[in-house]
Amino acid sequence: MEVKKILVVGAGTMGNGIAQTAAVSGYQVTLSDVDPAALERGTAAIEKSASRLASKGVLTDEQLQAALSIATSTDLTPAAGIDLVIEAATENPEIKFRIFEELDQRAPPAAVLASNTSSISITRIGAATARPDQVIGMHFFNPVPLMRLLEIIRGLKTSEATLALALEVGRRMGKEPVQAKDSPGFIANRILCPMINEAIFALQENLGSAEDIDTVMKLGMSHPIGPLALADLIGLDVLLSIMQVLHRDLGDDKYRPAPLLRQMVDAGRLGRKSGAGFFQYPS
Ligand code: CAA
């Protein structure tokens, strides 16, 4: 099956980045979110990012126009003729299972249902549908228009044809797909999130200031940004959910979320998206 129309569910940071990248790669894209305000913020972010890339000559005028013409919808029901759904809603297992149940009932029978989950089992998501052979993980990285990696995760029942389709779409979107086993956090977050969590323990235990902890990793290890700034970019609520999945599903206390991370989330300091996390982001 050749994919022409893609529905992206969820207009948050990941959803709008995926929609933008799919649109500039020649797909007809609809971005849906139950919250109209989230859709407005999502389209504004796409406009800002695509215009920036066009002004640098990374995107042609035609690609910029494609990004600016993404259709939006507050209805989860996929528009007729959708070939692929990429779900990028909140990282909460119960909400994801419910969305997949609904997508399964409403999407055309041949459509493939992909999830951008960063840690939840694709086999479990597939089991919420009557088409687990057509369910797959397509895990993108933030900021999606810039990061080249795409993790592809097969559930226990994902078919070869679904895998081939996800690889093909990922490559056409300019990404380098890497296949990862359906294990908590896959490859990227199994390594990245415990590292960031440890940086939060380091801050909590006053090993250094937030600035100094980040400087150590930037200048000592050539990371483009420090772990605490990266936590702010990912979103502290997302990071906490991933650590909770790793802790619960791998059953090892080395994955326990840092108490300071929990506190920051309780206080609503979620990182860039809320204006403050470990660092301040004045709008
Ligand atoms: N769209 C378009 N352009 C963007 C952009 C976006 N969304 N975000 C940044 N840019 C551009 C900026 O305009 C800037 O362009 P110029 O150099 O022309 O000014 C350039 O990228 C660099 O940006 P900044 O100067 O603001 O900051 P930076 O040099 O630190 O680069 C970064 C930004 C590319 C995000 C870089 O910091 C980086 O690579 N950080 C690491 C990102 C990372 O690790 N992502 C993975 C997160 S984990 C994840 O996503 C998965 C998960 O499940 C948790």
Side-chain angles (χ1 to χ4, degrees):
M1 177 177 70
E2 200 208 332
V3 173
K4 291 201 174 94
K5 288 192 184 177
I6 298 182
L7 172 77
V8 178
V9 175
T13 316
M14 297 305 287
N16 70 56
I18 294 167
Q20 174 183 330
T21 309
V24 304
S25 308
Y27 293 108
Q28 282 177 55
V29 179
T30 302
L31 179 62
S32 81
D33 199 299
V34 285
D35 177 5
L39 268 181
E40 251 173 57
R41 284 194 300 273
T43 43
I46 292 172
E47 197 180 324
K48 189 170 163 205
S49 167
S51 305
R52 214 191 295 173
L53 292 171
S55 70
K56 284 194 236 168
V58 177
L59 296 182
T60 61
D61 281 349
E62 200 185 336
Q63 286 176 310
L64 173 61
Q65 281 317 313
L68 300 181
S69 349
I70 291 172
T72 57
S73 168
T74 49
D75 186 355
L76 183 65
T77 314
I82 287 290
D83 306 305
L84 171 66
V85 179
I86 305 179
E87 172 277 332
T90 174
E91 194 64 8
N92 171 314
E94 298 318 315
I95 294 175
K96 286 233 195 280
F97 301 151
R98 216 175 322 123
I99 289 176
F100 271 79
E101 243 178 79
E102 210 172 317
L103 286 171
D104 184 35
Q105 283 160 15
R106 299 192 189 185
V112 163
L113 308 180
S115 177
N116 176 59
T117 178
S118 32
S119 59
I120 300 168
S121 160
I122 300 301
T123 303
R124 283 182 70 198
I125 294 177
T129 75
R131 59 176 101 183
D133 54 319
Q134 289 163 237
V135 173
I136 193 157
M138 291 180 78
H139 181 215
F140 292 85
F141 291 80
N142 184 10
V144 182
L146 303 186
M147 305 303 284
R148 286 197 53 221
L149 179 65
L150 172 65
E151 279 187 310
I152 300 272
I153 308 99
R154 281 177 90 163
L156 196 69
K157 294 189 174 168
T158 308
S159 70
E160 285 291 338
T162 300
L163 171 66
L165 180 143
L167 289 169
E168 152 79 25
V169 171
R171 290 197 181 106
R172 192 166 145 197
M173 285 172 73
K175 304 302 175 203
E176 186 80 48
V178 167
Q179 287 188 57
K181 193 172 148 185
D182 188 17
S183 170
F186 316 126
I187 299 173
N189 285 330
R190 174 76 178 265
I191 300 171
L192 177 69
C193 294
M195 186 276 284
I196 296 175
N197 194 47
E198 203 57 36
I200 302 172
F201 271 113
L203 181 64
Q204 185 184 304
E205 291 169 23
N206 293 317
L207 304 195
S209 66
E211 286 77 8
D212 286 346
I213 290 167
D214 272 14
T215 298
V216 165
M217 299 306 284
K218 281 192 289 185
L219 302 190
M221 288 84 194
S222 281
H223 288 196
I225 54 176
L228 299 173
L230 186 52
D232 284 350
L233 179 72
I234 292 170
L236 303 193
D237 50 342
V238 175
L239 184 64
L240 178 60
S241 319
I242 297 171
M243 288 311 298
Q244 284 168 330
V245 169
L246 292 178
H247 191 204
R248 190 191 60 221
D249 292 357
L250 294 168
D252 189 328
D253 272 349
K254 75 179 176 185
Y255 300 112
R256 74 214 176 287
L260 177 60
L261 173 61
R262 284 184 192 281
Q263 263 184 337
M264 302 272 290
V265 173
D266 287 343
R269 288 181 72 127
L270 305 181
R272 284 193 193 201
K273 62 185 167 190
S274 70
F278 294 106
F279 301 100
Q280 302 288 332
Y281 304 90
S283 55

